[in-house]
Amino acid sequence: MTYPSPYAAGEQAAPEPTSDALADAMAPPFGPPPSSAPPSSAQPPAEPTTFLGRVARRVRDYFLALDPTFLSALAPLAVIAVILFTRAPSTNYIFDEQEALLANPYVNAKGGLRFIDAIHRDFWGLPPDRSVGSYRPLPNLLWRTVWAVTKQPFFHHFYNVLFHAANGALLTCVTFWLTRKRGLAYLTGLIFVGCAVLTEAVSGIVGIADVLGGMGAIAALAALTLPGWAMPFGVFAAVLLGLFSKESALVCVPLIPFAALIAAPLTHPTRPARLVRSLLALLAAGAAFVLYVELRRRWFPSPLPAELTTPLAEGTPLVKRALHDLLVWFHQAPLPRDPLNNPLSTADTPHRIAGALRVYWRGLTQLVFPWTLSGDYSYPQEPTPDRLVFFGSVAGAAMMALPPLGSLALWIAALRREHIERRERRSVRAAFLVDGGQATSRRWSLLLAGALLAAGAAALAAYDWQVLRPAGRVPLLRALPLVLWPLPFLPALLLGLGLLVEGTRPLPCPATADRSVWVPLRRGYAGLCLVAIGLTWIVVSYFPHSNIPVVLPTVRAERFWYFPAIGSSLVLAVAFSWLHEAFAGSTLAPRARWSWRAWVTPALFVLFFGFQCAQAYRHAMDYRNDLDFWAATKEAVPNSAKAHLNYSVMKGARSDLPARLAESKIAAELAPSWPMAHVYTGDTLCRMHRPDEAFPHYRRGMELGPNELSLIALALQCLHDEQRLTAYEAELRQLAEEHPGTWLAYLAIDTLDNGAKHGGVDPKYRPRGYNEGPKE
């Protein structure tokens, strides 16, 4: 009796696959379905005689004849990413990139800031007391390093493209490790790299935070394939990388253990131990999150939001008190609330949730059908809804609730298939033993080492808690906050538990003379697990950006979908694979493999992927320069006041003042309560040497924003330059009296009294000019 000789995962390299194993690995997508003929009758395919045929054969063999590696997947995906997302070499800094790089005092090494001071500054280089809540030191460290070499915008954007391709290659490898299907693995990488809604994150320089955060999340998934003793340390390092790149990587804390729970029979088929591996992943991800928060609290002591500094009233429910204490410990810097960038910030909770669900639904459809892409969705493009129940809110609620439920149902179906698989393994093992084979046994050395480490770590922790801490000994441990107290004992515990897992008796399976071997799980099991992980991943990874748990500074941004696109790529790839098998079948005769049914799904994928690539390329070309960017944005979202006003500034910077005036007026009409729209309209008229027409717009803008320092300085300076400041002295002094204690009151009086000496507004209060670096 003969047995196949695949391998025990994590124990040895795979031998040459048998023809059956190769057929399964090369199963669609999107080669022809494997033949049902026995391996002995299979004949090697004839070498094509035409040049195109030989090229097609080489391409097919590259993707389907060999298992994908990181480098083999990176090569084609990097080419695709470079073609789709690379900006023109002549590009300049656009939108947030000016604040993130040109005006970033840390990146520009202003004020004596050292290289290591990235841990004490926020994403924009601001200190804790001036932060807007974005703590991402790793992107700043990368920017500072490259900034010392070149300040050219193209290079700061280009490595973002390469990192995105690397993420796609790593996701390809993860998919292959889970499914052992080469075509499906490459399909996942292609869908992720070509996803058009990710253009903002990949082509925009500030998207490096999302790309590096996503790299941490995918690396954590890859770490699940490591042996049990190494996996938690890989997860810990990967999650820490993600968190210090972008705070939204905190979604890895629930998602990685969930993936470990579902995928354990795929990553470690002979020793799944799904509950223990899930616990190890949870402890590792949780430890990374706790360490990140504690380091951030010490390195970046930002002020707490006002609602958290107020003590809770007596009798507050325990759940609410616990949530309050958790938020105080998390110590998130106050997030700005600007109704222009996020109209939901002023809405009551029910209407905010309804609007957030509408935004979620629209973003979700962009993952599959990116008809319109934009770099901005500010007011009134995404206004607060006037009712709670409408199509967008209902669809968003359904797609928020149904995917996790569907994930649970798919996992239950996968468990049933695994149960059948285990029964088959037992029967195979019984037949193997009857034929004289030897059963595999436990690894006693690993079990002993694991038990000693785990028991020792637990005993030391208990001894410290019960004896040393009460006696005031070991000052180093006593100096740790209570939440960090377990960390010194955790590595030994994780290592011990991992060794115990790897030392247990493997599942019943055939064995060779020297090694246990793996009987592959049923083909459908891997697909069910992948879809279950992907569906939950989409919802959970988007939730922190949804404006449901907390109000964010931004109502909608396409870069928020970088994390969810990891899950959607898994789901879409498996969906195309299942569709292909449904049309073409898995056991068709060789002649039937060329029927039209075998090419339905490949044709659909070409249309889908081609449309994604076309839209990604078109949107990436919007980043050629700032003028093209805002021109495309105002066309894509015509109701965005910010898009029109920024386009007007770009036209003004190119001396097209009539166009600037027209666009500024549109912005003021769309957002009549926006001070900047009125002041910029007045500034355009003033620069056209029409200061008397400008003053009513200036006055309206200053009344709406009496503490908008830069806007007030801009208005007063232009009036002074046009020698019309004194003509409106009485009105300016009246405005100062009506707004005591504001920047308007101070600057108006100071400029009127000292304008001749300062040449207008005091230079230290004048706004930073367009495309200028940080002020000293």
Side-chain angles (χ1 to χ4, degrees):
M1 189 172 188
T2 59
Y3 294 90
S5 56
Y7 57 93
E11 295 184 6
Q12 65 177 3
E16 288 296 323
T18 63
S19 57
D20 283 341
L22 183 63
D24 182 69
M26 296 176 62
F30 281 123
S35 171
S36 59
S40 58
S41 64
Q43 298 294 328
E47 183 70 19
T49 57
T50 64
F51 172 75
L52 291 179
R54 287 193 296 271
V55 170
R57 168 62 62 82
R58 298 294 184 274
V59 171
R60 186 183 187 280
D61 288 348
Y62 184 92
F63 291 105
L64 297 178
L66 297 173
D67 294 348
T69 64
F70 178 78
L71 291 179
S72 68
L74 179 62
L77 295 180
V79 171
I80 293 173
V82 167
I83 293 174
L84 295 183
F85 300 108
T86 303
R87 288 156 60 167
S90 59
T91 185
N92 58 0
Y93 291 105
I94 299 170
F95 196 18
D96 290 342
E97 298 169 359
Q98 296 185 1
E99 294 295 326
L101 287 168
L102 285 178
N104 190 320
Y106 168 77
V107 173
N108 289 271
K110 298 295 183 181
L113 290 174
R114 303 165 299 164
F115 185 79
I116 194 61
D117 285 333
I119 63 176
H120 304 303
R121 295 281 167 150
D122 75 354
F123 190 54
W124 313 100
L126 301 176
D129 58 341
R130 293 172 52 201
S131 173
V132 295
S134 301
Y135 182 68
R136 304 161 189 174
L138 287 184
N140 263 325
L141 288 169
L142 180 61
W143 283 340
R144 174 89 171 247
T145 302
V146 181
W147 196 257
V149 179
T150 177
K151 297 178 175 60
Q152 224 288 332
F154 174 81
F155 292 100
H156 288 276
H157 140 76
F158 188 68
Y159 54 73
N160 207 20
V161 177
L162 299 181
F163 283 145
H164 178 58
N167 286 347
L170 188 56
L171 187 60
T172 299
C173 293
V174 170
T175 306
F176 176 73
W177 294 334
L178 293 178
T179 65
R180 298 293 164 182
K181 295 180 71 172
R182 298 163 185 162
L184 180 61
Y186 277 111
L187 198 64
T188 305
L190 286 173
I191 292 174
F192 178 75
V193 168
C195 185
V197 79
L198 304 184
T199 304
E200 180 187 3
V202 181
S203 293
I205 294 175
V206 296
I208 188 67
D210 301 272
V211 174
L212 288 179
M215 182 177 292
I218 301 173
L221 282 175
L224 298 180
T225 63
L226 296 173
W229 54 267
M231 179 266 285
F233 301 99
V235 169
F236 176 85
V239 173
L240 211 57
L241 165 67
L243 286 169
F244 278 108
S245 299
K246 189 169 184 181
E247 54 278 358
S248 55
L250 61 89
V251 300
C252 292
V253 176
L255 284 175
I256 298 303
F258 174 75
L261 178 68
I262 290 185
L266 299 173
T267 56
H268 302 85
T270 58
R271 293 179 174 88
R274 54 163 52 93
L275 293 178
V276 180
R277 293 186 193 275
S278 182
L279 175 63
L280 290 173
L282 178 61
L283 291 174
F289 176 67
V290 169
L291 181 62
Y292 159 77
V293 172
E294 287 296 326
L295 291 178
R296 189 190 63 186
R297 284 161 55 92
R298 284 155 179 75
W299 292 343
F300 194 72
S302 59
L304 277 173
E307 60 269 20
L308 295 180
T309 58
T310 305
L312 295 178
E314 291 292 335
T316 301
L318 181 61
V319 174
K320 187 174 182 180
R321 186 176 296 276
L323 178 61
H324 179 271
D325 293 343
L326 177 64
L327 293 176
V328 170
W329 170 76
F330 186 64
H331 208 94
Q332 171 65 48
L335 299 175
R337 293 197 176 189
D338 181 3
L340 182 78
N341 288 318
N342 188 357
L344 301 180
S345 62
T346 59
D348 59 80
T349 300
H351 285 85
R352 188 187 84 230
I353 293 176
L357 291 173
R358 177 195 63 201
V359 170
Y360 170 66
W361 167 250
R362 291 177 177 176
L364 197 61
T365 58
Q366 282 183 312
L367 281 174
V368 184
F369 303 110
W371 301 111
T372 302
L373 297 171
S374 171
D376 175 73
Y377 290 93
S378 55
Y379 180 82
Q381 185 65 35
E382 290 286 355
T384 302
D386 54 5
R387 62 186 189 278
L388 297 179
V389 180
F390 53 95
F391 176 78
S393 66
V394 173
M399 294 307 297
M400 191 74 76
L402 293 180
L405 295 177
S407 176
L408 178 61
L410 290 171
W411 185 41
I412 293 174
L415 289 177
R416 294 183 60 187
R417 295 198 180 196
E418 185 191 4
H419 178 68
I420 298 173
E421 183 70 32
R422 290 197 182 193
R423 285 193 304 180
E424 292 182 358
R425 287 186 176 195
R426 291 190 183 96
S427 63
V428 170
R429 178 174 179 268
F432 175 76
L433 295 176
V434 167
D435 285 354
Q438 295 181 355
T440 54
S441 62
R442 298 177 178 87
R443 302 171 178 176
W444 292 106
S445 59
L446 295 184
L447 288 173
L448 179 61
L452 289 175
L453 279 172
L460 284 175
Y463 182 70
D464 177 68
W465 185 261
Q466 296 292 334
V467 179
L468 297 181
R469 288 180 69 90
R473 301 176 185 174
V474 192
L476 183 61
L477 289 177
R478 286 190 293 110
L480 290 175
L482 185 61
V483 71
L484 288 179
W485 169 77
L487 287 186
F489 312 102
L490 196 57
L493 177 64
L494 295 177
L495 182 59
L497 291 176
L499 290 173
L500 285 173
V501 168
E502 297 301 325
T504 56
R505 185 190 299 276
L507 287 178
C509 60
T512 60
D514 56 348
R515 291 278 187 174
S516 299
V517 296
W518 170 37
V519 175
L521 289 167
R522 293 171 174 269
R523 181 182 302 172
Y525 180 85
L528 291 172
C529 289
L530 226 60
V531 174
I533 293 171
L535 288 176
T536 299
W537 190 286
I538 294 170
V539 176
V540 174
S541 62
Y542 179 80
F543 191 70
H545 294 124
S546 65
N547 277 292
I548 294 176
V550 294
V551 179
L552 300 179
T554 306
V555 66
R556 180 181 177 186
E558 290 165 3
R559 64 181 179 275
F560 291 168
W561 286 92
Y562 199 90
F563 277 77
I566 298 171
S568 67
S569 299
L570 297 174
V571 174
L572 289 171
V574 174
F576 276 112
S577 179
W578 284 347
L579 185 64
H580 187 52
E581 293 185 11
F583 268 99
S586 58
T587 57
L588 293 179
R591 292 183 180 179
R593 67 178 61 172
W594 303 110
S595 70
W596 66 270
R597 294 171 59 87
W599 296 99
V600 171
T601 306
L604 290 176
F605 177 74
V606 168
L607 291 175
F608 167 81
F609 187 66
F611 181 69
Q612 290 277 349
C613 290
Q615 292 298 89
Y617 180 82
R618 288 180 58 188
H619 193 29
M621 291 303 100
D622 296 341
Y623 288 80
R624 286 187 293 262
N625 55 63
D626 46 12
L627 180 64
D628 288 344
F629 177 82
W630 287 111
T633 301
K634 76 181 186 69
E635 294 299 325
V637 285
N639 290 328
S640 170
K642 182 188 286 187
H644 286 280
L645 193 65
N646 278 283
Y647 179 70
S648 77
V649 173
M650 302 305 110
K651 297 297 286 186
R654 291 160 175 81
S655 302
D656 190 351
L657 293 180
R660 179 185 177 185
L661 179 61
E663 294 294 332
S664 297
K665 288 183 175 180
I666 294 175
E669 291 172 0
L670 288 170
S673 299
W674 189 20
M676 185 179 288
H678 294 283
V679 171
Y680 274 31
T681 301
D683 190 65
T684 307
L685 290 166
C686 188
R687 293 176 187 275
M688 297 172 73
H689 307 295
R690 295 155 60 181
D692 294 328
E693 295 180 53
F695 186 76
H697 298 281
Y698 279 150
R699 180 175 57 199
R700 179 59 177 159
M702 289 188 287
E703 288 174 339
L704 290 170
N707 277 311
E708 298 285 348
L709 172 61
S710 298
L711 296 180
I712 296 166
L714 184 70
L716 296 175
Q717 185 63 42
C718 191
L719 289 174
H720 176 272
D721 293 341
E722 292 294 320
Q723 300 180 356
R724 294 295 293 168
L725 184 65
T726 56
Y728 297 102
E729 180 174 357
E731 293 184 61
L732 289 171
R733 291 188 181 274
Q734 182 180 354
L735 284 173
E737 292 177 1
E738 294 173 354
H739 300 86
T742 63
W743 277 111
L744 173 58
Y746 174 79
L747 277 185
I749 301 303
D750 182 71
T751 307
L752 287 169
D753 294 343
N754 303 303
K757 179 175 64 175
H758 293 310
V761 177
D762 190 334
K764 65 182 179 182
Y765 297 125
R766 294 179 191 176
R768 179 175 61 87
Y770 180 70
N771 249 4
E772 287 184 1
K775 299 181 71 175
E776 296 288 352

